[in-house]
Amino acid sequence: MKSLLRKALAVAAVATSVAVSVPQSIDAAPRQVGATVPPSPADPAHPVTDQRLLDAMAAATNTGSPQLDAVATVAIEVLTAHSDAVSAAIRAAGGTVTGDVADEVVQARVPVARVGTVALAKGVTFVRAPQLVTRPSTVSPDRNTRAGLRPEVGPGFGATVGQNVSITNASAWQAAGVDGSVKVGIIDYFDLGLWNTTEEGPLPDTSHRFCQDSSTAPTDVQNLCSPTNNDGVNNEDGFEHGVAVAQIVKDMAPAAELYLASAGTVSDLQTAINWFGQNGVHIVTRSLGAAYDGAGDGTGPLDSVVDSAAAKGITWFNSAGNDAADGYLRVTVPANLSATNGYVDFDNGPGVDTYLRVSGSCVTFDGVRWSDWNLPPSQTTDYSVEAWEPNSNPDLAHDENFNPTDLTFLGTADSDQAAGAPPLEVADDIVCPNNTFGFAKGITYIRIKRRPGTPTVGAPDILEVGLGSGYLELGRSQAPFSAAKPVVDSANPALVAVGAIDPANGSHTPDAIAYYSSQGPTNDGRVKPDVSAPSCVASTIYDPGCFNGTSAASPTAAGAAALLLDANVALPGAPLAAAIKHFVFDRAFAGAASPPDGADNKYGTGEVLLPTPPTAPAPAGTTSTYHPLTPTRIVDTRGATDPAQATRATFGILDVGVAGIAGVAPDATAVAVNITATDAVTAGFIQAVPFLQSPYGASSTLNIAAAGATKPNFAIVPVGVAGKISIYDVPGGNLIVDVLGYFSKSATPTAAAGRFVPIDPVRTLDTRTANLVPAGWVAHIPNGEAVSVPAAASVPTAGVSALVLNVTSTDAVVDGFLRAEPDGTSPLASTVNYNAHVDAANTVIVPLGSDGGVSVFTNNPSDIVVDVTGYITDATAPVATTGLFVALPTARAYDSRNTPDGPLAGGATRTVQLAGLASPLPVVPAGASGVSINLTAADEIAAGFMSAYASGGTKPSTSSLNYVGGQAIANGAMLKLSSGGALDLTSNQQTSFIIDVDGYFT
């Protein structure tokens, strides 16, 4: 098929104003060192089969001047898993490397005469013309839904404010003083002549603008950085799109500092992401689509660019696409096509129809793709795509009634899959029919034919037809799987694909997704979009005031994220993305059939809806006393029917109301909990924080080493907004939360009951050692019974309500659990979950039983070790000012991985100052008697243990943390501080360690 791409793209081109010079691409992952570089599969007789590249080569050498033809160059993209080797081959051929996506694509400008040489070089998979990555995500004006549309005056930026500001509750956050004062990047195309400072804020200066388009030479038809219609007058050229996006971002986040970028190719986009990273941009919104470049399963060059952005701490918002109505078709192709002479049958019923109608004055294809990705060329099916044009007006209602003899053949696209071409045709290609038959849209028919003798390996091919930008319609189409396009299909947790709610001001009821909003699943079965957001909102750019499509939804979600980032609700990257996916109204769930986490392939997790703006934590220095409770289970997602408390997806968030339940007072300032993760989907960490008062991702409570693991940990968690704590669950799976007690504000600066008295850690029970077992103990490994914990000499016999213990399972015969409990009780709770022959420990606060003692129960054979680190006073204890708890927003106080001292050597001792420092946060004042921390070991060289104790004291024969080697392991602890406010830490093996603080004791 003769490519008309560059000449036909005047409508869909991308433009901005200033080119910025930046370094070459930064690798998102280490390169393969010493990997074998395979030979190219290209046919030596015909090394180039990409039709658009062949057209470009012919055009470059058709100048009429032999001298110019001899030195002509052409832009290419090389698909490769060996960037370094291919880059060297390009330079050896006299070419210039202009960018890359590490081990995915190398972009270059090469002499036309040497393109074949490059195609045959080792490491080259395929050579093609560069694909543009600038598909707009707008909707045809004649399909807009504008019912009830009205401009709003109020919160936002400028006189015209979209309904999205109030619908998402961003207006309440702005009224509370949160205005999104962070850096936001926009990837789009911009007519800066349309920029209105009263609506979009100050025009970003040249240091805030980037453009790079390596797809064409400066003398080619149009370079995206040198647009021909960027005049601020003509709003029909597509360049107004980015300005409209900027207006939405500023409405949602009025104080956002904008960075504008345009990129022609995937390598240019990688360079733009590097530029964002260098400028400290942590939120990016891109309301653009792109041609197919992968299997629709989260792999491919564009998805690798997303991964590189996430590695830089960028949360990426992207329009989900507008293909649900008439832009996508999926066909299962039988192995035998003899009945149709090799052509694919598009008919959904018993009939046969090998002609697929496409309406559009110029048809832009995202591609024809089939399911042979990751197969070697010798096993990849080869299809070709034919284009035909009717000579008379067809019956659009009944395609089968047209006469195939009344068609004109336009051409065939047929890259050679046996020579390394991916299972993809007509990606980023255009066909423009000559006839419109008196109405706006022309008509093209495509036919897809399997090459005779081509391999058909495995299951029948799944063939997909995707349309790109423009006002196009497929004669046959479907909504499911239409979102499985590049960037949107990314599996990276920092990527948020945004669907559209249109009309924006519809009530919060089901069935409000826009008819055009692309739907999942992806081709590997994941839910898409990730969230949805209002569209068709008031705009001064689009007349008569409706900016719709998922293009408008993406910056709405990005603006909401800017408010969250400004309020320090989450760290950028995956945590911020998780927060946006969490703060939603679930339109689809109505108590009936629904995936466990409420996510579905229309709305994602739901429509973006920010919670009530956060309030400030309790004033610094607010003291609290502890109230022990019989351990009570308040969350168990195993078997839960409420999607809010069912099995969690990875990178999920669970809010848990704790104030006023299970004996916890309504005015509780913090809760002592045991959090257990089980059935983990993958490795990762879990973080418990006060709701809306500590950033997601900034600390950890519990570390999960591998999928399927079960692991508990103790934590004191300050109670946040609305009486809730929040659990950020990276590995997914199931969660169990047991409440052990709570802290409430003390009426006076002194108290008798509820004070924590830290002691130098002392071991009181070790069933492996004869002198550390109760009197009359008969040595054995207990099985399904409770073992009484002997009293510690440093704990008084009166004035005590509970003990603070570190409980360890060791030498377990089979998997099981330990439960520390008041004597004479059997609560539904667990303290330690252990695996056979693997040491496991946890901290617990255990109320004394009626006989004044505590016990440890094991359900399977295991030795038990108990260390006492302190106790809680009761009402008969002396009144004192010490030991009252002051909750702090959970924060990281020390990380040896980020210090000059590095890991803690085996047998060495390191002192960590925690009190009396002005920074970094959290601030523990001088004179504090103890701290509540989460201690994590990481990168251990072998199995071992750590001990933490008041600095300067005698090293105890106790452990604070047991680790297995090579896995991050955490344990909560309430520890005594030295008079100088420091801890000493020692380990019997080399390890890195991390300390997160959630409070201190006076």
Side-chain angles (χ1 to χ4, degrees):
M1 178 184 306
K2 184 72 171 178
S3 173
L4 304 176
L5 181 66
R6 289 297 174 263
K7 290 184 172 62
L9 261 187
V11 173
V14 176
T16 189
S17 57
V18 176
V20 177
S21 176
V22 298
Q24 287 282 350
S25 301
I26 299 173
D27 292 345
R31 300 285 180 91
Q32 300 179 26
V33 178
T36 301
V37 180
S40 168
D43 180 355
H46 302 284
V48 178
T49 63
D50 179 70
Q51 187 61 53
R52 289 200 302 111
L53 180 54
L54 290 170
D55 292 345
M57 293 166 64
T61 54
N62 191 28
T63 64
S65 167
Q67 292 83 3
L68 292 178
D69 290 351
V71 297
T73 63
V74 68
I76 65 171
E77 280 183 345
V78 182
L79 304 185
T80 178
H82 304 274
S83 298
D84 292 337
V86 168
S87 295
I90 289 170
R91 296 186 183 102
T96 302
V97 175
T98 57
D100 80 334
V101 178
D103 296 331
E104 291 275 6
V105 167
V106 176
Q107 177 181 272
R109 192 114 196 143
V110 176
V112 172
R114 304 303 299 276
V115 173
T117 302
V118 172
L120 295 172
K122 284 188 175 182
V124 172
T125 301
F126 189 65
V127 176
R128 68 186 183 193
Q131 290 187 183
L132 286 175
V133 292
T134 55
R135 296 277 192 273
S137 293
T138 51
V139 177
S140 174
D142 63 346
R143 301 290 295 274
N144 282 344
T145 304
R146 299 193 178 93
L149 178 68
R150 63 177 181 85
E152 292 187 356
V153 178
F157 196 99
T160 301
V161 178
Q163 301 89 324
N164 45 355
V165 177
S166 59
I167 290 171
T168 61
N169 203 35
S171 53
W173 285 59
Q174 294 175 21
V178 181
D179 55 9
S181 183
V182 298
K183 295 179 178 180
V184 178
I186 300 174
I187 302 170
D188 216 293
Y189 34 98
F190 305 90
D191 183 344
L192 296 182
L194 292 170
W195 197 275
N196 184 341
T197 57
T198 64
E199 294 291 348
E200 291 88 49
L203 178 66
D205 61 25
T206 56
S207 68
H208 287 57
R209 304 202 299 263
F210 170 95
C211 185
Q212 184 166 303
D213 178 11
S214 303
S215 64
T216 61
T219 57
D220 287 345
V221 174
Q222 179 155 300
N223 186 284
L224 305 183
C225 301
S226 304
T228 57
N229 293 311
N230 191 9
D231 53 13
V233 178
N234 181 5
N235 288 12
E236 302 302 324
D237 54 17
F239 303 143
E240 74 279 3
H241 189 262
V243 182
V245 167
Q247 188 172 126
I248 288 181
V249 172
K250 292 295 284 188
D251 277 352
M252 293 290 296
E257 182 180 354
L258 300 184
Y259 285 74
L260 312 182
S262 294
T265 69
V266 65
S267 299
D268 297 338
L269 184 61
Q270 176 67 75
T271 307
I273 292 299
N274 296 343
W275 176 74
F276 283 134
Q278 292 161 3
N279 282 282
V281 174
H282 289 296
I283 295 174
V284 165
T285 183
R286 175 179 176 271
S287 290
L288 303 172
Y292 290 139
D293 72 345
D297 60 359
T299 61
L302 276 162
D303 290 321
S304 291
V305 176
V306 174
D307 293 341
S308 77
K312 302 177 195 303
I314 292 174
T315 308
W316 185 321
F317 293 83
N318 211 96
S319 52
N322 304 318
D323 300 319
D326 43 30
Y328 173 81
L329 177 64
R330 187 181 184 91
V331 179
T332 300
V333 183
N336 189 343
L337 293 179
S338 59
T340 56
N341 197 29
Y343 287 97
V344 173
D345 178 14
F346 301 109
D347 196 292
N348 296 319
V352 175
D353 184 5
T354 63
Y355 293 83
L356 179 64
R357 173 175 53 82
V358 187
S359 303
S361 55
C362 274
V363 180
T364 308
F365 288 96
D366 278 344
V368 172
R369 174 175 68 182
W370 57 99
S371 51
D372 283 353
W373 296 82
N374 303 315
L375 291 178
S378 61
Q379 297 180 21
T380 303
T381 309
D382 194 338
Y383 292 91
S384 61
V385 179
E386 301 173 0
W388 299 76
E389 178 185 46
N391 299 321
S392 61
N393 193 353
D395 182 349
L396 298 183
H398 303 89
D399 273 356
E400 63 272 17
N401 291 342
F402 82 94
N403 186 352
T405 62
D406 190 26
L407 296 177
T408 298
F409 178 65
L410 297 178
T412 301
D414 188 12
S415 296
D416 190 350
Q417 274 67 46
L424 178 63
E425 295 287 355
V426 295
D428 191 31
D429 216 338
I430 279 184
V431 174
C432 295
N434 296 311
N435 275 318
T436 59
F437 307 112
F439 56 97
K441 297 175 182 176
I443 301 294
T444 303
Y445 287 93
I446 66 168
R447 305 185 78 192
I448 303 173
K449 187 174 185 179
R450 183 186 293 160
R451 177 181 290 182
T454 190
T456 53
V457 177
D461 289 332
I462 304 297
L463 189 143
E464 301 170 89
V465 180
L467 298 187
S469 60
Y471 308 139
L472 312 174
E473 296 177 15
L474 278 174
R476 303 178 188 273
S477 63
Q478 67 177 73
F481 295 95
S482 59
K485 289 190 175 181
V487 177
V488 179
D489 70 345
S490 169
N492 196 294
L495 186 280
V496 184
V498 189
I501 303 295
D502 189 346
N505 56 357
S507 62
H508 279 173
T509 58
D511 302 323
I513 196 69
Y515 70 91
Y516 52 78
S517 187
S518 293
Q519 300 178 20
T522 60
N523 284 347
D524 59 332
R526 289 174 291 110
V527 170
K528 289 290 176 177
D530 297 302
V531 298
S532 47
S535 183
C536 194
V537 297
S539 170
T540 62
I541 300 299
Y542 288 102
D543 183 50
C546 171
F547 179 20
N548 73 342
T550 57
S551 276
S554 181
T556 295
L563 299 178
L564 296 178
L565 186 61
D566 186 26
N568 200 31
V569 171
L571 294 189
L576 181 59
I580 281 290
K581 296 171 189 177
H582 176 63
F583 295 128
V584 295
F585 172 82
D586 189 353
R587 285 182 173 271
F589 179 69
S594 178
D597 61 359
D600 64 86
N601 286 306
K602 287 186 177 180
Y603 302 94
T605 57
E607 181 180 359
V608 173
L609 180 63
L610 296 174
T612 300
T615 55
T622 300
T623 55
S624 302
T625 55
Y626 184 72
H627 306 268
L629 297 170
T630 300
T632 303
R633 184 150 292 174
I634 60 172
V635 171
D636 189 343
T637 64
R638 298 172 298 179
T641 57
D642 182 353
Q645 287 200 359
T647 304
R648 311 301 300 170
T650 57
F651 294 90
I653 295 173
L654 176 65
D655 298 329
V656 180
V658 292
I661 66 169
V664 177
D667 63 347
T669 58
V671 288
V673 294
N674 194 65
I675 299 174
T676 302
T678 186
D679 308 316
V681 177
T682 185
F685 71 93
I686 291 171
Q687 175 198 28
V689 293
F691 179 60
L692 292 181
Q693 290 180 342
S694 286
Y696 298 121
S699 60
S700 65
T701 305
L702 176 60
N703 296 82
I704 302 298
T710 297
K711 181 69 178 176
N713 202 18
F714 166 83
I716 294 177
V717 187
V719 177
V721 175
K724 298 178 182 179
I725 65 173
S726 196
I727 302 175
Y728 175 45
D729 184 2
V730 171
N734 283 303
L735 290 173
I736 301 166
V737 180
D738 300 327
V739 170
L740 309 178
Y742 68 94
F743 294 86
S744 63
K745 184 178 179 180
S746 55
T748 65
T750 62
R755 296 183 295 107
F756 170 57
V757 180
I759 65 173
D760 293 324
V762 58
R763 181 154 293 172
T764 63
L765 174 66
D766 187 341
T767 61
R768 304 167 301 175
T769 306
N771 62 347
L772 285 177
V773 293
W777 178 262
V778 177
H780 73 288
I781 298 177
N783 182 9
E785 60 183 76
V787 183
S788 296
V789 176
S794 48
V795 176
T797 56
V800 177
S801 66
L803 297 179
V804 181
L805 309 176
N806 192 66
V807 180
T808 303
S809 162
T810 185
D811 301 326
V813 177
V814 294
D815 296 353
F817 69 88
L818 303 180
R819 180 180 64 231
E821 58 195 25
D823 277 352
T825 67
S826 298
L828 176 63
S830 62
T831 304
V832 176
N833 294 80
Y834 54 76
N835 297 116
H837 309 295
V838 178
D839 292 350
N842 198 10
T843 293
V844 63
I845 304 175
V846 192
L848 300 182
S850 56
D851 63 355
V854 299
S855 303
V856 177
F857 168 86
T858 179
N859 73 323
N860 279 314
S862 173
D863 278 319
I864 303 170
V865 180
V866 176
D867 301 327
V868 181
T869 62
Y871 60 92
I872 306 296
T873 60
D874 68 12
T876 66
V879 173
T881 60
T882 60
L884 301 177
F885 181 67
V886 178
L888 295 171
T890 309
R892 183 143 295 173
Y894 184 84
D895 188 340
S896 68
R897 299 170 301 179
N898 299 326
T899 66
D901 293 333
L904 177 63
T909 299
R910 183 170 302 173
T911 300
V912 176
Q913 187 71 31
L914 291 179
L917 301 175
S919 63
L921 293 176
V923 178
V924 178
S929 64
V931 287
S932 172
I933 69 169
N934 196 64
L935 176 63
T936 303
D939 307 321
E940 319 95 315
I941 63 171
F945 65 91
M946 290 188 70
S947 296
Y949 53 97
S951 181
T954 302
K955 177 181 174 181
S957 60
T958 59
S959 62
S960 303
L961 177 67
N962 295 80
Y963 50 78
V964 297
Q967 299 177 0
I969 300 291
N971 198 13
M974 298 164 62
L975 296 172
K976 179 180 179 181
L977 285 173
S978 70
S979 58
L983 290 177
D984 281 349
L985 296 103
T986 185
S987 174
N988 71 328
Q989 302 286 350
Q990 178 179 303
T991 183
S992 298
F993 67 96
I994 303 159
I995 298 175
D996 296 323
V997 174
D998 49 57
Y1000 65 89
F1001 298 92
T1002 58

